[in-house]
Amino acid sequence: MKYVKNLVCINCGEKYEALPTQYLCPLCGEKGILDVEYDYEKIKRDWNKEILKSNKDFSIWRYTPLLPVESDTPKPLLRIGWTPLYTVKTLAKDLGIETLYIKDDGLNPTGSLKDRASAVAVVKAQEAGKKVVSCASTGNAASSLAGNIASMGNDMRAVIFVPERAPIGKVTQLLIFGAVVISVKSTYEETFYLSEEAIKKWGWYNRNAAINPYLVEGKKTSSIEFAEQLNWDMPDWLVYSVGDGCTIAGAWKGLYDLKQIGFIDKMPKLLGVQAQGCAPITQAFRSGNDLIVVPENTIADSIAVGKPRNYIKAIKAVKESKGDMINVSDDEILNMMKVLGKRVGIFGEPAGVAGLAGIKKAVELGIIKHYESIAAVITGNGLKDIKNAEKAVGRPLIVNPDFKELSELLESYDL
């Protein structure tokens, strides 16, 4: 890793060699989340916007100088990243703002932003000499891991632990990719602890994003892409839905990296959005107190994390950006699924659209001003959770094969 200096504990500041299996600071335990430190001066000497512009690899690997991987380690076959960015005038008007950009990360190979982290995990597992990679997940992290491993052939295996509430679409996707899937009859929290015991006992590579510091580095490529796709002219706000805190922490890390190497001048404010039924990070952010574990009571399964492990990084990122956090109800999420589909043509899963629902609320509360520019990420594809999509839009019209009946049925529709 040409440009990586070391790992540093965000709690005590202790530094460690950047080994692929160095997950946490041993002095601080669960609070000892590590951060990857880069030699920005060396990066600036070797890499610039012109070099990047000439790179025809439109995937996350175009940003290899800012990623903690060896250049010669085999990469997953799937093309991850460089998802489309849209300027959306219709929805911006609906939300009461002038400028809205939407990045659809549901178009990543396995249907979510988490492909970015899993691709890095697969690379680091190889560098660690591991043949089995494991994690606990409500679905997206797991399917992204399984898909990326499948793309490597039969050299590696994925062992996935999911809570029993995981949507069947995501579980089926795991099985299609050939993963060993263990459905745990309990909460995500209990599922996580079981995976942790198994990983320790059998020596598997740990893909749990809040434990493994390298996975945040993969997630940060979403904000780096935002910057490049906007020609380095950053918006006023960058919006993400928040579960364990890794994604929004990664977004801030990507922006920080770009600022250090002189690619951007302006740092946007971050808006972190949690589901009202599972919002421990928002509560800690607003109270200034330690995190309190809460029940996982929301349809947005991908952000339903009652005990997030990366909340310190997430809160730090939002505060440093001079941003804010907000909660949205399940009804607001379901409504935004419908609005986004009807007005923009993007099908996002509940957790994927929570950020957009948060924009609407933040504008109403005066947190976001109508004249400010906002960029948001749809973090997951709606096809992963058809059950909740049906709650949002209902069922189709049903008719017998009779034209008269059809005509009568359609009389009330403005077609």
Side-chain angles (χ1 to χ4, degrees), residues 267-301:
M267 297 283 273
K269 291 174 280 190
L270 295 178
L271 179 69
V273 183
Q274 293 213 277
Q276 195 170 287
C278 189
I281 299 181
T282 303
Q283 184 179 356
F285 173 82
R286 295 206 172 280
S287 69
N289 299 325
D290 285 342
L291 183 129
I292 298 172
V293 178
V294 302
E296 299 160 2
N297 186 24
T298 174
I299 61 168
D301 65 279

Side-chain angles (χ1 to χ4, degrees), residues 84-88 91 100-104 226 340 344 346 356 374-378:
L85 180 69
Y86 305 108
T87 303
V88 186
L91 188 55
L100 175 65
Y101 304 104
I102 292 179
K103 188 168 180 59
D104 188 5
F226 253 131
L340 179 65
V344 185
I346 294 176
L356 275 181
I374 298 105
V377 182
I378 307 303

